[in-house]
Amino acid sequence: MRIEDGRKLDFSDVLIRPKRSTLGSRAEVDIRRTFRALHTGKEWTGFPLMASNMDTTGTFAMAKALLAFGALVALHKYYSLERLVEFFRGSDASNAFFTLGTTEADMEKLSLVKRQAKIDKLCIDVANGYTEKFVDVICRSRDENPDALIMAGNVVTGDMTEALLLAGADIVKLGIGPGSVCTTRKLTGVGYPQLSAIIECADAAHGLKGHVCADGGCTVPGDIAKAYGGGADFVMLGGMLAGHDECEGEMVYEDKDGAKVAVGMIFYGMSSQEAMDKYAGGVADYRAPEGKSVIVQYRGPVDRTMQEIIGGVRSMMTYIGATKLKEIPKRTTFVRVGGQLNTVFSD
């Protein structure tokens, strides 16, 4: 047993300190970024935000809606083969990741879709990215998909970030337990404060010319701004994009003046009892659920939320004088708040 000293930080532990700026308007900032993939050299340009590969948010409709904002979607892996082929043959798939796990069935499904449609973005997703099997799957996926952009995770430490990049990933997904409907930290005691994970893993990834995606922990637009400030190249959202028309969660209705009115939507973690009952026939006797189910407020079209997110990021950029999104980490100074004397962390 050993204890690692030094305080680790979540988004709620810090604020971004404002700085002098010559910017006169939010309209003057550029929220698009261009990234060059580590293993293929191909470039992608857009707003580096993506919907999580949860079955409520990683949907075809969400992909279409976020395409208008230059953002991305990691599709959930439970769509049928036929629906995936139809989608990836269409014009709305250019911003979508095909999601798979580490089973042979997952690999076979990908192979079958690829025979009939073009797949150029893969999300290899597991809760625990620290296993040798996971690294082997990334190596195999890179060998079998040499031209694809591959995102893989989840991990929270620099050493494993480097291992996944060297195995074939272009983007490493970061986060163990920060999600609003994830209970891994409570059940297992395992995890890592999300902002510190971003700072440490981004440093490791950028040294190898790879990239990171912060997955989980954002509850307000300011958290997304802090993630970018900590060095995240991409930010993945689940709960913040739940409850919209483009989601596929079960609606909750109330009777108001004799009419049924949508008031909420059921949202659950993909390791929850609900998800495993739905897709795996129940919880296996060797494991326990690591997610929960909640009702989120119904929020109409996702366009409104995206405008709020983009507005928050733009406003933050004017506060710190960042003209381009890629400048944010260099312009960010975090101030630790609450509990103890404030401490300044500058990138």
Side-chain angles (χ1 to χ4, degrees), residues 13-29:
D13 294 321
V14 301
L15 290 171
I16 298 172
R17 190 173 71 180
K19 295 181 177 179
R20 285 185 178 179
S21 170
T22 59
L23 292 168
S25 167
R26 295 173 179 85
E28 295 178 28
V29 305

Side-chain angles (χ1 to χ4, degrees), residues 250-329:
E250 179 183 347
M251 295 296 301
V252 177
Y253 297 91
E254 286 184 2
D255 288 328
K256 293 186 178 181
D257 299 324
K260 290 180 66 176
V261 178
V263 295
M265 183 179 291
I266 296 175
F267 177 58
Y268 49 80
M270 297 312 294
S271 291
S272 65
Q273 179 81 49
E274 290 79 2
M276 285 188 277
D277 285 346
K278 186 174 182 180
Y279 298 113
V283 182
D285 58 9
Y286 57 83
R287 63 174 298 178
E290 294 182 27
K292 62 181 180 180
S293 176
V294 299
I295 298 176
V296 297
Q297 180 183 0
Y298 170 64
R299 292 184 278 177
V302 76
D303 290 9
R304 301 172 188 173
T305 297
M306 286 298 296
Q307 292 288 1
E308 181 178 308
I309 290 170
I310 290 172
V313 173
R314 284 183 176 276
S315 185
M316 177 271 290
M317 292 171 69
T318 64
Y319 272 109
I320 65 173
T323 304
K324 298 181 181 295
L325 198 67
K326 68 178 182 180
E327 298 172 5
I328 292 176

Side-chain angles (χ1 to χ4, degrees), residues 52 79 92-93 107 128 148 213 257 269 311 314:
S52 171
Y79 280 123
D92 296 331
M107 303 296 284
N128 177 9
C213 174
D257 299 324
R314 284 183 176 276

Side-chain angles (χ1 to χ4, degrees), residues 131-161:
T131 66
E132 288 300 314
K133 179 180 179 180
F134 185 54
V135 176
D136 291 343
V137 168
I138 295 173
C139 290
R140 175 180 169 184
S141 298
R142 172 54 65 196
D143 289 342
E144 296 179 359
N145 303 273
D147 297 324
L149 177 69
I150 296 180
M151 176 169 63
N154 282 22
V155 299
V156 290
T157 53
D159 59 340
M160 207 62 199
T161 297

Side-chain angles (χ1 to χ4, degrees), residues 23 26 28-35 44-49 69-71 206 221 224-235 309-318 320-332 347:
L23 292 168
R26 295 173 179 85
E28 295 178 28
V29 305
D30 183 2
I31 61 167
R32 295 170 67 85
R33 283 199 66 178
T34 296
F35 296 100
W44 175 88
T45 300
F47 178 43
L49 186 101
F69 296 92
H206 297 163
I224 300 170
K226 293 173 186 177
Y228 289 135
D233 302 296
F234 300 85
V235 177
I309 290 170
I310 290 172
V313 173
R314 284 183 176 276
S315 185
M316 177 271 290
M317 292 171 69
T318 64
I320 65 173
T323 304
K324 298 181 181 295
L325 198 67
K326 68 178 182 180
E327 298 172 5
I328 292 176
K330 295 179 181 178
R331 300 284 299 170
T332 294
D347 195 347

